[in-house]
Every structure is written in C-alpha cells, then in structure tokens.
Amino acid sequence: GLGDVYKRQFMDYTLRKKEVMFMMTEKMITLNNGVEIPQLALGTWIVDDNKVAEPVKTAIRLGYRHVDTAQAYANEVICCEV
C-alpha cells in the first residue's frame, strides 16, 4: 500500500544520506609530512566553550574524524574532552 511506498522512499533516502556522509568523511588528504587526514573537518572557530561540546559529539556520531581546533580558538581542550 501507500504506507509501504513511503517506507521504501524513507529507507532509500536514509541509505543515500549515509552513503554521502561516508564519502564526505572518508576522502583523505596527505600532509607534507606524509600523514593522511580526512579532508572534511568540523570547524570550531568562534564557537563558545559552553556550546562547542554538543556539535563535536554530534559530528563524531555522524562520522567526522577531523575536528579543526587551535590554541587561538581557545576551545581545544573542551573539543578534545568530548
């Protein structure tokens, strides 16, 4: 019935979404020192300390493996504690 059609469409959409996220998070670049890192990163610049943990947790859950932090952002400790 119609419910099965919607269910299949939702499952197809969910699978496509997961495939796209996998492709985005798995593309690697090689640094000058030979180390490979994921090309796609979660940027944390200008994110308040009290707000950065939840987006980092969500990104990791979604498949991100590269979180861009820096001493100048002053939130690297919080990002790493997640």
Side-chain angles (χ1 to χ4, degrees), residues 30-74:
T30 304
L31 302 177
N32 291 338
N33 64 0
V35 173
E36 286 190 338
I37 62 171
Q39 183 174 9
L40 181 67
L42 174 71
T44 61
W45 185 53
I46 310 180
V47 180
D48 293 336
D49 286 356
N50 60 346
K51 295 180 182 173
V52 75
E54 209 50 46
V56 171
K57 286 179 188 177
T58 300
I60 297 296
R61 192 170 51 251
L62 290 172
Y64 280 75
R65 296 299 177 257
H66 180 181
V67 178
D68 178 22
T69 66
Q71 187 175 11
Y73 303 170

Side-chain angles (χ1 to χ4, degrees), residues 1-60:
L2 194 53
D4 290 334
V5 171
Y6 288 130
K7 190 184 292 184
R8 275 195 306 274
Q9 287 177 343
F10 176 76
M11 295 301 285
D12 287 346
Y13 168 77
T14 303
L15 181 59
R16 281 193 307 271
K17 189 173 157 185
K18 287 180 181 179
E19 289 172 346
V20 167
M21 192 63 194
F22 177 77
M23 288 186 304
M24 288 172 48
T25 58
E26 293 300 312
K27 187 167 183 176
M28 304 294 273
I29 57 173
T30 304
L31 302 177
N32 291 338
N33 64 0
V35 173
E36 286 190 338
I37 62 171
Q39 183 174 9
L40 181 67
L42 174 71
T44 61
W45 185 53
I46 310 180
V47 180
D48 293 336
D49 286 356
N50 60 346
K51 295 180 182 173
V52 75
E54 209 50 46
V56 171
K57 286 179 188 177
T58 300
I60 297 296

